[in-house]
Amino acid sequence: MEKGKVFKIHSDFYYIDSNANIFECKLKEVIKKQKQNVLVGDNVFFKKISQTNNQGIIYKVADRINELTRPKVSNINQAMLVIALKEPNLSHIQINRFLCFFEYSKIKPLICFNKSDLCEENEIEKNVNIYKNIGYETIITSIKTGEGFCELKNKLINKTTVLSGVSGVGKSSIINKLNSQLMLKTNKVSKKNDKGTHTTRHLQMYNLNFENSNETFIIDTPGFSYLSFDFILPNELDSLFIEFNQYKKMCKYNNCTHTNEQYCNIINNVGCNIEVSRYESYLSFLNEAKKYKDKLTYSGNKVELNYKTNQQKTYVKISEKKRIDSRRLQKQKIKNKIEEENEI
Ligand SMILES: Nc1nc2c(ncn2[C@@H]2O[C@H](COP(=O)(O)OP(=O)(O)OP(=O)(O)O)[C@@H](O)[C@H]2O)c(=O)[nH]1
Ligand SMILES: [Mg+2]
Ligand SMILES: [Zn+2]
């Protein structure tokens, strides 16, 4: 059996790099039956169909170090969130959306502020410092002037990095600048609506072939148009704003939502220790999280008596629709979350 890494997936075909040889593989029936996802980044075991061509069958997926759901990749060392300082215009709420998602996924992001050639220095600093002060690793780059690329190479070397960010921010252009042989397709941002044109259509992993490392991988991804929060519950949200943690301990109420409670230490710190744009994003995401929770819970709580202990226990009832939609395990997870939230 041969070993290799999945670097591209196209419909039913999995493209594998095995010691710089490329194989086009299909999945063995048993993997399909188990409904096991094979992701870009997976290390797999496969058998060649014949000695003469480069086709094979994947038999087994090796254990993963980690996996990310959006984009769907595995075995990554870091995620680099690419932001354009201009074209498309920088949006803090959008940055915070991605940051919350990475916190939720327990993946440490590196934030790359690209297109520095289009922006004044003091404006760049003002924007970047918001995230630097929170503790995020940041880097400023331009593919036009080459700013930041030495530093960037040092941050990428010997790692597998997945790029993330909306369309048009320069993800593919950055990869081309790191290795001019790759020649990935890029496209202008639309002047009409200040949006990218979704040029990259598929996830693909590339070896950057740095002079001093042949183990530096980068994954180009299609830019999301919108990352919606249909997975976070209200009580989980404040911990995803990592700078809130040190202040929320001093809120008067343990279950403070930091919205209109008296003696809320988060609200007290907005405008000094907590950036206004961060707090505004929090409020906006909280609304989305509440809507998500409402969608999950229609039927309220159910009280059952345990005849042995003669004690009552309260359960959360999930709506009928959700019951059909989700598998047993998922249901249990959701129930646990809500019961925790309602302190049942
Ligand atoms: N001025 C300037 N333009 C840049 C820079 N980086 C990228 N661009 C331009 O931005 C446009 C979009 O770049 P892409 O690399 O296609 O963006 P992308 O993030 O890959 O977009 P999708 O594939 O649609 O997700 C192209 O016209 C690039 O030339 C930069 O540092 N400065
Ligand atoms: Mg692209
Ligand atoms: Zn509070």
Side-chain angles (χ1 to χ4, degrees):
M1 200 109 66
E2 317 265 336
K3 205 177 167 194
K5 210 175 194 25
V6 178
F7 68 89
K8 180 168 86 171
I9 301 173
H10 255 223
S11 47
D12 273 352
F13 291 103
Y14 297 77
Y15 294 85
I16 292 172
D17 182 335
S18 176
N19 299 321
N21 294 314
I22 308 299
F23 290 88
E24 185 187 67
C25 292
K26 286 209 150 194
L27 295 185
K28 190 163 168 53
E29 276 307 312
V30 60
I31 298 187
K32 275 196 216 160
K33 274 198 194 122
Q34 288 166 349
K35 296 220 163 88
Q36 195 179 353
N37 265 338
V38 178
L39 307 177
V40 167
D42 271 340
N43 295 311
V44 293
F45 297 94
F46 68 100
K47 271 187 191 164
K48 289 188 215 171
I49 292 177
S50 79
Q51 290 305 322
T52 48
N53 65 17
N54 276 16
Q55 288 181 327
I57 304 280
I58 297 176
Y59 278 71
K60 193 172 177 264
V61 181
D63 288 343
R64 293 174 183 148
I65 306 171
N66 57 22
E67 70 181 85
L68 200 61
T69 51
R70 292 168 219 210
K72 275 190 174 160
V73 292
S74 67
N75 299 322
I76 54 168
N77 300 112
Q78 64 184 356
M80 182 162 94
L81 172 58
V82 182
I83 304 295
L85 285 153
K86 282 258 158 69
E87 295 179 21
N89 268 333
L90 178 146
S91 146
H92 291 293
I93 192 162
Q94 201 175 67
I95 299 178
N96 291 329
R97 214 174 256 290
F98 280 103
L99 292 178
C100 280
F101 175 68
F102 287 125
E103 293 299 336
Y104 184 83
S105 311
K106 302 200 165 23
I107 304 263
K108 208 174 155 234
L110 157 66
I111 315 175
C112 171
F113 291 88
N114 189 35
K115 310 200 188 186
S116 67
D117 56 290
L118 300 178
C119 205
E120 297 286 330
E121 209 164 300
N122 53 359
E123 200 186 332
I124 298 176
E125 221 167 276
K126 193 183 80 197
N127 285 317
V128 174
N129 280 347
I130 294 178
Y131 302 93
K132 220 178 184 173
N133 292 342
I134 295 170
Y136 286 111
E137 204 181 344
T138 60
I139 184 164
I140 300 164
T141 57
S142 162
I143 66 150
K144 301 281 181 207
T145 65
E147 182 182 0
F149 273 81
C150 264
E151 197 188 339
L152 180 59
K153 281 183 179 169
N154 287 332
K155 289 189 191 286
L156 300 177
I157 195 157
N158 290 326
K159 289 185 182 145
T160 298
T161 304
V162 62
L163 298 189
S164 183
V166 297
S167 178
V169 291
K171 298 178 294 299
S172 306
S173 307
I174 290 174
I175 298 181
N176 285 340
K177 181 93 183 165
L178 289 162
N179 181 333
S180 56
Q181 285 177 341
L182 290 171
M183 291 187 278
L184 308 185
K185 219 169 131 193
T186 65
N187 214 340
K188 282 202 182 96
V189 171
S190 151
K191 282 248 170 357
K192 240 204 278 170
N193 62 8
D194 190 44
K195 283 192 173 142
T197 49
H198 296 278
T199 311
T200 304
R201 295 282 173 180
H202 302 281
L203 276 176
Q204 185 160 344
M205 179 186 289
Y206 301 93
N207 190 329
L208 285 174
N209 284 317
F210 282 173
E211 257 169 43
N212 44 354
S213 148
N214 60 3
E215 287 287 316
T216 303
F217 297 99
I218 199 151
I219 306 173
D220 195 14
T221 62
F224 301 119
S225 44
Y226 192 71
L227 176 67
S228 61
F229 275 166
D230 50 359
F231 49 91
I232 293 174
L233 286 165
N235 74 329
E236 295 176 315
L237 189 66
D238 64 3
S239 65
L240 307 181
F241 284 77
I242 54 175
E243 78 277 32
F244 287 15
N245 285 328
Q246 57 177 310
Y247 303 108
K248 73 179 185 198
K249 289 181 208 136
M250 305 266 290
C251 291
K252 183 173 178 196
Y253 304 105
N254 254 347
N255 57 355
C256 186
T257 62
H258 325 302
T259 49
N260 48 18
E261 292 89 344
Q262 251 194 336
Y263 311 112
C264 166
N265 196 41
I266 295 288
I267 296 174
N268 283 345
N269 278 285
V270 173
C272 46
N273 293 313
I274 294 173
E275 272 292 327
V276 175
S277 59
R278 291 279 287 172
Y279 181 66
E280 283 173 352
S281 296
Y282 168 78
L283 291 182
S284 169
F285 302 161
L286 188 64
N287 270 335
E288 286 178 41
K290 280 181 185 159
K291 280 189 194 138
Y292 170 58
K293 188 184 162 188
D294 287 346
K295 230 169 54 183
L296 293 179
T297 53
Y298 291 113
S299 325
N301 300 333
K302 179 173 73 175
V303 180
E304 272 180 14
L305 186 68
N306 182 326
Y307 292 104
K308 276 187 193 155
T309 60
N310 211 20
Q311 274 180 349
Q312 282 189 342
K313 185 157 176 23
T314 313
Y315 298 94
V316 164
K317 266 171 85 178
I318 304 286
S319 70
E320 241 358 275
K321 184 169 172 288
K322 198 75 208 170
R323 259 186 246 173
I324 300 159
D325 285 353
S326 59
R327 280 174 278 142
R328 201 172 64 89
L329 245 173
Q330 278 178 332
K331 252 177 26 187
Q332 193 53 51
K333 248 170 95 182
I334 294 164
K335 282 177 68 155
N336 290 347
K337 271 186 181 181
I338 298 164
E339 281 174 0
E340 214 175 87
E341 165 137 334
N342 291 342
E343 291 175 14
I344 292 173

